[in-house]
């Protein structure tokens, strides 16, 4: 058992080198032979090991990392759709639009317009289309939670790998809720930490890298995001920049939470729903 665990950890560490190379230079050619050499595998075995560890092919990771770069370029708003398409390696806007739609559930133009509106006005953030008129932000109280968690290593674009590994570690344990927890500045930085986390009532297998994460209870500003996970960073930034300063609240040192209400395996990208939870307390002047 211990030997099997060491082999698994070694494989993950070697595959991580390949992922890091892809993330460091998304627009490089990233030939299978070169990545296999970097991970110290033969090309014949590398693609099988990579797919087993990462949950997708090398080509899928390259495509996803490039499209994640495209979301950042579109969010900046200073390049045309054609310019962004060329910048991330697509020969035509049409091919880029198809790939981007599969990645985010919407066209590049719709994504760009939505992100610009989100940054300018938090009330323009996507709302649930359940027919119920609700405020963009609601104040909620959450109890203390103890979650099974796995710390994410690497860029935002590879967070799905961490969630997948955590779910594998759960084995047959029941899962009652899926979470993400971010510590530190929302824009990232040296002290930034992100955890994939699961609420589970059952005992888990003993896995060294899985830790118990205690989330203190308290007051949160909650916004329900409708749409793909690629919109989360811009939506959280809009909440901090546009809603928080005039709210009468200030952030405290609890983690920012993402409560995933469904998953890409259950629904389309456009149907994804995520509660974004900013930890807050009353300002002294309020």
């Amino acid at each position: 058992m211990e030997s099997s665990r060491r082999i698994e950890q070694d494989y993950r560490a070697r595959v991580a080198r390949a992922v890091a190379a892809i993330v460091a230079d998304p627009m490089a050619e990233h030939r299978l032979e070169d990545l296999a050499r970097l991970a110290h595998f033969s090309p014949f075995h590398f693609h099988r090991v990579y797919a087993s560890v990462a949950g997708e092919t090398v080509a899928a990771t390259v495509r996803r990392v490039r499209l994640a770069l495209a979301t950042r370029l579109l969010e900046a708003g200073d390049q045309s759709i054609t310019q962004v398409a060329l910048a991330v390696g697509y020969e035509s806007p049409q091919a880029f639009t198809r790939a981007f739609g599969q990645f985010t559930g919407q066209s590049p133009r719709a994504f760009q317009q939505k992100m610009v509106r989100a940054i300018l006005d938090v009330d323009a953030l996507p709302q649930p289309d359940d027919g119920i008129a609700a405020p963009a932000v609601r104040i909620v109280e959450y109890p203390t939670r103890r979650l099974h968690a796995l710390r994410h290593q690497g860029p935002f674009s590879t967070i799905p790998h961490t969630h997948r590994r955590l779910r594998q570690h759960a084995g047959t344990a029941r899962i009652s809720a899926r979470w993400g927890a971010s510590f530190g500045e929302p824009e990232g930085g040296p002290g930034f930490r992100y955890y994939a986390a699961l609420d589970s009532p059952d005992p888990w297998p003993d896995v060294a890298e899985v830790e118990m994460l205690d989330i203190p209870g308290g007051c949160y500003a909650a916004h329900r995001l409708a749409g793909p996970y690629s919109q989360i960073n811009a939506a959280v930034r809009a909440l901090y920049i546009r809603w928080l300063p005039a709210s009468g609240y200030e952030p405290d040192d609890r983690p920012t939470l993402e409560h995933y209400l469904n998953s890409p395996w259950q629904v389309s990208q456009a149907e994804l729903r995520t509660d974004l939870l900013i930890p807050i307390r009353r300002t002294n002047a309020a």
Side-chain angles (χ1 to χ4, degrees), residues 156-216:
F156 288 125
S157 56
T158 59
I159 281 176
H161 293 183
T162 303
H163 279 279
R164 176 178 176 272
R165 276 178 33 226
L166 180 62
R167 187 64 187 87
Q168 288 177 328
H169 287 320
T172 59
R174 290 172 296 164
I175 305 302
S176 54
R178 296 171 54 241
W179 298 84
S182 301
F183 295 78
E185 294 297 321
E187 293 298 317
F192 181 79
R193 291 174 292 142
Y194 175 90
Y195 290 85
L198 293 172
D199 227 334
S200 175
D202 294 343
W204 278 37
D206 183 18
V207 180
E209 66 174 347
V210 175
E211 57 188 279
M212 298 308 299
L213 187 64
D214 291 310
I215 307 294

Side-chain angles (χ1 to χ4, degrees), residues 18 21-23 25-32 34-35 58 62 66:
I22 294 169
V23 171
D25 188 2
M27 301 315 301
E29 184 178 354
H30 295 304
R31 295 187 310 159
L32 193 67
D34 297 333
L35 294 173
V58 171
V62 171
R66 289 178 179 178

Side-chain angles (χ1 to χ4, degrees), residues 67 71 99-108 111 227-228 230-231 269-270:
L67 289 169
T71 66
F100 192 86
Q102 292 170 352
F103 180 64
T104 67
Q106 59 191 160
S107 71
F111 177 88
S230 55
Q231 298 177 7
Q269 292 284 329

Side-chain angles (χ1 to χ4, degrees), residues 129-259:
D129 55 3
D130 52 15
I132 301 174
V137 176
R138 64 193 191 279
I139 307 303
V140 298
E141 288 281 343
Y142 269 72
T144 298
R145 296 178 184 277
R146 195 154 211 253
L147 306 173
H148 293 81
L150 185 61
R151 184 173 178 177
H152 174 66
Q153 304 289 343
F156 288 125
S157 56
T158 59
I159 281 176
H161 293 183
T162 303
H163 279 279
R164 176 178 176 272
R165 276 178 33 226
L166 180 62
R167 187 64 187 87
Q168 288 177 328
H169 287 320
T172 59
R174 290 172 296 164
I175 305 302
S176 54
R178 296 171 54 241
W179 298 84
S182 301
F183 295 78
E185 294 297 321
E187 293 298 317
F192 181 79
R193 291 174 292 142
Y194 175 90
Y195 290 85
L198 293 172
D199 227 334
S200 175
D202 294 343
W204 278 37
D206 183 18
V207 180
E209 66 174 347
V210 175
E211 57 188 279
M212 298 308 299
L213 187 64
D214 291 310
I215 307 294
C219 190
Y220 289 85
H223 170 74
R224 182 159 295 178
L225 178 68
Y229 299 149
S230 55
Q231 298 177 7
I232 287 176
N233 287 345
V236 170
R237 182 164 57 255
L239 290 168
Y240 272 99
I241 293 173
R242 288 295 175 184
W243 179 83
L244 195 59
S247 68
Y249 293 90
E250 62 185 11
D252 69 16
D253 57 3
R254 287 171 291 141
T256 298
L257 301 177
E258 300 163 11
H259 183 194

Side-chain angles (χ1 to χ4, degrees), residues 63-144:
R63 181 168 57 252
R64 189 156 49 77
V65 171
R66 289 178 179 178
L67 289 169
L69 172 60
T71 66
R72 295 194 295 274
L73 296 176
L74 290 168
E75 187 182 327
D78 56 358
Q79 295 188 56
S80 69
I81 303 301
T82 299
Q83 288 172 320
V84 172
L86 294 173
V88 297
Y90 287 85
E91 296 182 355
S92 72
Q94 293 79 13
F96 172 61
T97 296
R98 285 194 297 272
F100 192 86
Q102 292 170 352
F103 180 64
T104 67
Q106 59 191 160
S107 71
R109 189 170 305 282
F111 177 88
Q112 188 176 52
Q113 292 171 345
K114 185 179 293 184
M115 290 302 97
V116 169
R117 288 198 305 272
I119 292 169
L120 292 176
D121 182 1
V122 74
D123 289 331
L125 285 167
Q127 296 295 304
D129 55 3
D130 52 15
I132 301 174
V137 176
R138 64 193 191 279
I139 307 303
V140 298
E141 288 281 343
Y142 269 72
T144 298

